[in-house]
Structures are given as C-alpha cells and as structure tokens.
Amino acid sequence: MKPVSLRPFLPHPALRRRVPCQFRAYAIQAPGAPTLQVFDSKIKQIHKERAAANAESSRRVDYLRDEVASRLCERLLDINRHFPSVLDLGANACNIARILTTTPPPIPTDPPLHTRLTSLTSADSSPTLLHRDASLPFNTILPSHTRTVLPDPDTAPLPFPPHSFDAVLSSLSLHWINDLPSLLSQIATILKPDSPFLAAIFGGDSLFELRTSLQLADLDRRGGVATHVSPLADVRDVGGLLQKAGFKLLTVDVDDIVVEYPDTFALMQDLQAMGESNAALVRETTAGLRGLGRDVLLANEGIYRELHGVDGGGGRIPATWRVIYMIGWTPGEGQPVPLERGSADVNIKDILEGGGKK
C-alpha cells in the first residue's frame, strides 16, 4: 500500500519556510605557550618616561643603578677575552657605558676598561631615559657607542639578527618583563656561539621592610591588605629559566645592598624618580580604588621605624635591595662539559669512608 503524503494538508507558507542558520563562536588558544601577565607594560613605560623627563632628579637617584652596573662590569672583565660587539639590553640611562668609561682599572698600569670591547649598543624601550645623558663626555670615549629604542618586549621580539653579539649585558631592567623565558630564548639567539650573557635583576626579597610595614599599615587602617610593591623573581627560579633558554655553564649569586634613608617618604620619592614604582596589574590606583591615603602612609612610617629602625642610626631607616646576578653561556666548541654518568673510575664512597687510606 502506498504511504499517504501529508503535503496536500500543509499550509502553503509552511512549504517555503526556511530555518535560519545559526553560528556559534568558540574561543581559540593563540599559538605558543600562554603568558602570565603580571606587570602593566604601558604603565611602566609611563613611569620611566616621566622619571627621565626631569633629568636632574633622575641623575640624583642613579646611585643604585651605577653601583649594580659597576659590579656587573666587574664580572664581565673577569672573563679574559676581548668583546668586539656588546649589547646592553635594558640600558636605562646607559649606566654600563658610563661605568666602563669613567671607572679606573683595578691595577693602574692596566689599560682602561672600555678597551676590552670595540662596539657597545645600548638599547631600552624608554627613549627619554635612553638619551638622557647623550650629551655627556663619556659617549665619545668608547670606540663605537650606539643607542637603539626597543619596542615593547611583551608585544614585539628583539630587533637584532641571530648571532649578532659577542656578549649581552642587562642591568636592573629584566625584572619588569612579563614573558621572561621567551626573552631569554631571544637573547640566546642573538648571541654568537660560546658567548656570555650577564644580567642583574632585583630579587624577591627586595624592600622587604617596606612590604611588611605597608601590609601592617593597610591592615590596621583599612582592615585589608593590597599590593603596593611589585612581585619579583626568586633566586631559585633563575637557574631553571637560564637552562630552559639553552644557556650552559650557569652561575647565579645574590648581593644585598642596604641603603639608608631619612624616612619612608624619601624612599618612595626615590622609587618614583627611578621609575621603579609599582606596576603590577593587580594594584590600587587613585582612579580606581582609593590608593594609599595619608593615614596609611603615616602608619607605615611609624611601623617601619618600629620594626626595622636601627639604634644609633641617627633617625635614618634601612632599605634592603636584593640583587640577583646571573651568568650563562651559549653552547660552543671547546667549552668544558661534564663527563658521562658512570664514567668515573673512583668511588666517592671509598673516599668518604677512608677506603683509600693505607
């Protein structure tokens, strides 16, 4: 029996009705590993530009950058080698260039420090800070000194071809980078084989006095704790980051530099003049939340002196800057390498237990 068709019984418009197409949107992960955004790079750029706009105030607070640059240059000069091409990455106000040209050699009969290199490229993302001292005499002492304005390191790669430099230095700038593993890999790429990378960054315990006093002042005056000092890398993570980027022969050490200030307000003013103010994404701003009020600042001053004040210090307070120094080498021929596991011919157990004694 032939099946009955329902077409004659359907209303005419229903035969021509079409169901509209529906589209669904999906979130797609961008290529590469996800990057954790800790710092606001735009705000940090504003901090550095604003600080460098007042050249005299900016030079007055160069004491810390000059000291760290001097210690970093000492590590470079310990390497018995001439460096034809050197990159100062995150040069700030070209502190390394000034140290190389104005610091006398340890032995008076030795040649000047700047003769250990031929060409120095100072690169920074802040053009005002980078060119702040472009008219000073030290710029003419180096055989070749060029300045390069970098793009935002969080959005653009380094503008240098592979194997361009014989050494890369970085003094007190990498602690503001969000994607530090990616930047370290780029540094390894622009270095020639068997070339060193030397850097100094602020470590996680920097300004621990200010952190604790601000937290207690916040808790006392507002009943909660907010982020007022930016988070920093820990020394235990630095070696792993260098190794992951492909560096060999790693060396990591820590220095604590203690600076005395008349009060916490002078400390905060110097931080602002350095361009080192808080730039964490999770922070209080005067445009959003209330920020630091007068009552919190006054409470912080009293708590800081009570917890960290030094007897007999003449009313001055200490601030500790923890600096992490790192050295890594790109792989190259002739570098010392560890022996293969199991190739030793002496058992350490016999040595420790005195088995080798007669």
Side-chain angles (χ1 to χ4, degrees), residues 42 50 172 224 297 299 340 344:
K42 293 182 179 179
R50 185 181 299 165
L172 297 185
L297 291 174
E340 294 184 3

Side-chain angles (χ1 to χ4, degrees), residues 208-209 212-214 216 301-310:
F208 72 90
E209 303 97 339
T212 55
S213 62
L214 279 175
L216 292 174
E301 171 71 13
I303 294 172
Y304 197 114
R305 290 187 177 277
E306 182 67 24
L307 293 180
H308 309 293
V310 179

Side-chain angles (χ1 to χ4, degrees), residues 22-39:
Q22 297 182 356
F23 297 94
R24 298 182 64 183
Y26 296 89
I28 301 176
Q29 172 67 46
T35 303
L36 177 63
Q37 297 293 321
V38 179
F39 306 111

